[in-house]
Amino acid sequence: MRTTDGRLPGPEIWIRGPVPAPERSPGPYVASPGPRRFSWIGTHGGAGASTLAAVYGGHDSGRDWPGPDDPPSVLLVARTHASGLESVLRTLEVFRRGQAPAGLDLDAVVLVADAPGRLPRQLAQRVRLIESAIDVYRVPWVQDWRLGDLSGTPPRETEPLIRLTSTAARRVR
């Protein structure tokens, strides 16, 4: 059945035609509505959860599950050495089996470089295995963080993590 102007009926958007794109802000940045709250959980000692919570915002749960008043959105943190990657896989298995506390949402894994430079092939393969199961954000080696200086800007390579945690103004693309 055709409409009076000869077109086939369909959803309203088809009848109305294209909708103009929303106007963009004149500046290169748009203020974020506020940081999204996360609970950072280190999957092993020294993973870097405290440092990431200080730099990117959110709740530092250490190696414990978030409490009832803490954000239920979880970011797992591990170093990129063999035991760190193995601890992430074990924790992912806890979530997969439904053994994590009720109400927690596993959002992503954040892997913090355990040393400067590229990962050896064996470790890179484990990272790919983790990436096949969940979103992974990588944080490079930051010498200033090792020395306790968290005052600088986060590394440029962590821009996707900055967007996820929404702790800074984001670029309009």
Side-chain angles (χ1 to χ4, degrees):
M1 172 193 286
R2 294 188 178 270
T3 61
T4 56
D5 60 359
R7 293 182 296 172
L8 292 172
E12 181 181 344
I13 193 166
W14 292 356
I15 296 170
R16 280 188 318 187
V19 177
E23 292 187 30
R24 288 192 159 194
S25 171
Y29 294 95
V30 174
S32 175
R36 182 171 175 198
R37 298 271 299 146
F38 288 97
S39 289
W40 301 86
I41 300 176
T43 61
H44 59 88
S50 298
T51 298
L52 295 176
V55 172
Y56 297 98
H59 173 74
D60 176 14
S61 292
R63 294 186 59 201
D64 297 324
W65 296 114
D69 295 330
D70 299 329
S73 295
V74 171
L75 296 173
L76 298 179
V77 182
R79 294 284 176 173
T80 55
H81 49 59
S83 61
L85 297 175
E86 192 59 38
S87 71
V88 167
L89 290 168
R90 282 192 307 270
T91 308
L92 287 174
E93 186 65 13
V94 168
F95 274 93
R96 187 188 72 76
R97 290 183 177 183
Q99 297 170 338
L104 293 184
D105 296 320
L106 178 57
D107 283 288
V109 168
V110 180
L111 298 177
V112 180
D114 66 311
R118 295 175 57 113
L119 284 177
R121 179 183 301 140
Q122 301 91 328
L123 298 178
Q125 288 172 336
R126 287 187 190 171
V127 169
R128 284 192 294 279
L129 176 63
I130 296 166
E131 288 173 331
S132 71
I134 191 165
D135 290 337
V136 173
Y137 294 84
R138 304 279 300 270
V139 177
W141 179 261
V142 180
Q143 184 67 25
D144 288 344
W145 292 358
R146 185 178 196 205
L147 299 173
D149 180 8
L150 307 180
S151 63
T153 59
R156 189 175 69 208
E157 298 91 339
T158 66
E159 195 161 314
L161 183 59
I162 292 170
R163 283 192 302 271
L164 176 70
T165 57
S166 301
T167 58
R170 55 184 167 81
R171 286 201 177 276
V172 175
R173 296 217 189 310

